Amino acid sequence: MMEVVIVAIAATLGNLLMGWDSSTIAAGMTYIKKEFVLDATLEGLIVSMSFIIGTVVTIFSGTVCDLVGRRPMLITSSIMFFLSGLVMLWAPNVVIVLLARIIDGVAIALAVTLTPLYISEVAPADIRGQLNTLTQFACSGGMFLAYILVFSMSLSDSPSWRLMLGVIFIPAVAYFLLAVFYLPESPRWLVSKGRLLEAERVLKRLRGIEDVSGELALLAEGLSPGGEATSIEEYVVAPASELLVNQEAEKDYIKLYGPNDEGVTMVAQPVNGQGSMISRSMLSQQGSFGTLTGGGLKDPIVTLFGSLHENTLPESGGSRSMLLHNANSIFSIGETSSPFGTSDNLHAPLMSFQGGAGEKDRAYGSKDILGMRSNSSLRSNSSLVHGNAVDAPKNTNIGGGWQLVYKSADGAGGGKREGLQRVYLHADTAALSHSQHVSFVSTSGYDIPIDGGEAYQAAALVSQSVLGTHDMLHLTEVAAKGPKWRALLEPGVKRALIVGVGLQILQQAAGINGFLYYAPQILEKAGVGDLLSNLGLSSASASFLVNIITTFCMLPCIAIAIRLMDISGRRSIMLYTVPILIVCLLILVIKQFFQINSVVDAAITAISVVVYESVFCMGFGVIPNIICAEIFPTSVRGICISLTSLTYWGCTLIVTLIFPYLLQLLGLTGVFGLFVVGCIISWIFVYLKVPETKGMPLEVIIEFFAIGAKPGTDPAALGIKG
């Protein structure tokens, strides 16, 4: 995975430049005001111009990026950073300074909007959160490096603000070269445009393996989420000798074939009764999945996602192991050649289905689903491939412990429907670890005795596959024409937008921008500047030194977040870090009512400010962008990211504009009290509405959001039994 890590680091150079820019403009304004004698209006316009332009650019960036691709937009961002630096180096007057800030605003908007999206689409599910957290690390790192430069220059007799702001063109050159010659296009975007061979080459490079057929099929399936047609099923998978006892029930089996014409070696059987711990928790949800509140305040989607991650069973309170973090411990990944070599586009289906009645329950893929035999694979029948169609996926692993296999699609009356059904399968070995002798009841009513150790339970999302149907041509033609705004009205997309937009609004309600803008004033009022002035520093240099310390403290906190993002998860990190923000704000409010020694007051204030900013960066600062890049379908991901980013920029502008008035009306203590309320509301929203997405392929996340999202959907219609 080293290649994808390097690609992600290279992509985050735009975020580093954004952090660099925000620090240098804050510092450079001290010297710009002296040279041009600015009034308050011009000063505010110079600082906020990038926000204004960023808001406008964000409106169009998502739609354009869905049309032309992610990589061209990153290249454009690098060019804008380069041009803004050159213009600022020249800048003879305020008008040119404003022009440079306009160009800079375009660069920042593209970097902030598209980098998380790009990384989410190229990263494997198991480390996607870690790689996306690098964006925040790069941003804070850029701020830290910029403040070191600014502090060093402030020690000279005549600091040059043009050099402070213009030197950004040097790292922008490196960003441009990497974007042009190293960064690949997003494989998900390539598949959405029917450019299958290019997507295959990119995946081989990023994953470091030759067989990427499973993931390639997954990306194609992502073009058509199942929605309300998806059912949640439970399976037990065991050696065929144990399950093929009742031949009369054979029609219910998904038969898994071994190599070299060994015949059926493993069988996946849908079961009733005591099911898999995963699916029992998933299927036990009561009430309609179609309403946002379900039977209570917590969104059922949150509980549904949580059933894949929790350590304990709510029914018994008994302990259970974490769901398999490493898929290789249970799923084998072989080194077979990729079958996708006969078509450069999706105009021919990835696979086509022709089979007799005796073959209708076969699962198509080339790896033994549960890896009981290290070299076992499913036999691909040549009669299932014809014309320009190609073989079924040979590598069924799609990351995060999930497998993608296929079975034939049967109508309600037992008749054949066109194509196949896709089965997203996730194994659960924890249930069988509690008992060596477990009995299941199949959907045909037969007992299936399983001896622990050789069989596994699994939960599955089953829906109609787009592969092998005439819909594939239609889907790729529609995707090639660009996203449709009416797709935003689909129930699953609307639900995801509520989560994404809500997180962006509440991120600003927590007060980070007001905090960052006025942190120097807070520290100065507490006497921190006076303490530093004893070192012989000017007031400006002392302020820059404080910012160096603050941004430096952010880095280890973000490093911790990188480590925990795919272990503890996004939701857990936010639920644990927001209370720390509340405590820091309350300390700043409460201490105003006590007489405290000046040195102690300065120390408490400095610690509270540093802890607030550092903890915010590791939680609420980065996670909203990560989640927003994960929960939207490929076909409208760019548009949805634009809407959430537009929310971010709009809320940033509002906070920037009204903060001075709030400060005048309520005072600093009152404003921080409002931020406490904002943090409390944010915590409640995360707890009730934000699901845990760690370790799940993007297409599986989208499938979950789409399940029963239409109002009034009956769980029974989804195949969900209470």
Side-chain angles (χ1 to χ4, degrees), residues 250-273:
E250 183 176 341
K251 62 182 181 180
D252 293 321
Y253 295 120
I254 299 177
K255 293 176 284 189
L256 314 181
Y257 289 76
N260 303 320
D261 295 324
E262 288 181 12
V264 179
T265 60
M266 300 286 290
V267 175
Q269 168 70 53
V271 296
N272 294 327

Side-chain angles (χ1 to χ4, degrees), residues 6 11 30 149 226 236 259 266 334 354 420 422 437 469 504 567 673:
I6 297 174
T30 303
L149 172 69
V236 59
M266 300 286 290
Q354 286 182 329
L420 307 170
R422 59 174 175 248
H437 301 282
T469 70
Q504 297 292 356
I567 299 175

Side-chain angles (χ1 to χ4, degrees), residues 218-346:
L218 173 71
L219 305 192
E221 294 290 3
L223 298 177
S224 178
E228 69 276 8
T230 300
S231 62
I232 303 175
E233 299 178 3
E234 46 189 332
Y235 287 81
V236 59
V237 184
S241 59
E242 298 187 27
L243 284 182
L244 287 181
V245 176
N246 299 298
Q247 294 298 322
E248 187 179 345
E250 183 176 341
K251 62 182 181 180
D252 293 321
Y253 295 120
I254 299 177
K255 293 176 284 189
L256 314 181
Y257 289 76
N260 303 320
D261 295 324
E262 288 181 12
V264 179
T265 60
M266 300 286 290
V267 175
Q269 168 70 53
V271 296
N272 294 327
Q274 177 192 347
S276 141
M277 284 193 173
I278 304 173
S279 51
R280 252 200 300 157
S281 181
M282 285 162 55
L283 302 179
S284 66
Q285 308 309 318
Q286 301 296 324
S288 170
F289 279 90
T291 61
L292 288 176
T293 58
L297 293 175
K298 181 184 279 191
D299 193 325
I301 283 291
V302 175
T303 310
L304 189 61
F305 275 76
S307 66
L308 298 171
H309 303 293
E310 291 174 358
N311 297 336
T312 59
L313 276 177
E315 295 93 333
S316 62
S319 63
R320 64 177 281 193
S321 62
M322 289 285 289
L323 291 180
L324 303 174
H325 178 67
N326 186 350
N328 290 337
S329 64
I330 185 170
F331 297 112
S332 62
I333 302 176
E335 295 182 358
T336 57
S337 60
S338 172
F340 296 92
T342 62
S343 175
D344 190 24
N345 54 61
L346 293 176

Side-chain angles (χ1 to χ4, degrees), residues 30 80 85 133 267 291 295 333 396 416 430 501 520 574 630 636-637 678 702:
T30 303
M80 294 296 103
T133 311
V267 175
T291 61
I333 302 176
T396 61
K416 184 73 65 179
V501 171
M574 285 192 291
E630 293 176 329
V636 292
R637 187 171 290 132
I702 295 161

Side-chain angles (χ1 to χ4, degrees), residues 97-128:
V97 171
L98 288 172
L99 174 62
R101 295 295 292 161
I102 290 172
I103 299 172
D104 189 59
V106 176
I108 291 174
L110 294 179
V112 171
T113 303
L114 300 177
T115 304
L117 183 154
Y118 176 80
I119 293 176
S120 287
E121 291 191 339
V122 302
D126 305 86
I127 59 172
R128 185 178 62 241

Side-chain angles (χ1 to χ4, degrees), residues 659-672:
F659 193 90
Y661 298 101
L662 290 175
L663 198 62
Q664 184 177 3
L665 180 64
L666 303 175
L668 202 55
T669 302
V671 171
F672 285 153

Side-chain angles (χ1 to χ4, degrees), residues 526-528 530-531 534 596-607:
V528 175
D530 293 335
L531 292 177
N534 294 332
I596 305 176
N597 178 274
S598 60
V599 176
V600 175
D601 184 35
I604 292 175
T605 302
I607 292 172

Side-chain angles (χ1 to χ4, degrees), residues 14-36:
N15 297 81
L16 184 145
L17 296 179
M18 181 190 71
W20 180 290
D21 175 80
S22 65
S23 296
T24 52
I25 190 62
M29 285 306 299
T30 303
Y31 305 102
I32 293 175
K33 287 189 294 184
K34 293 179 180 178
E35 179 171 336
F36 295 122

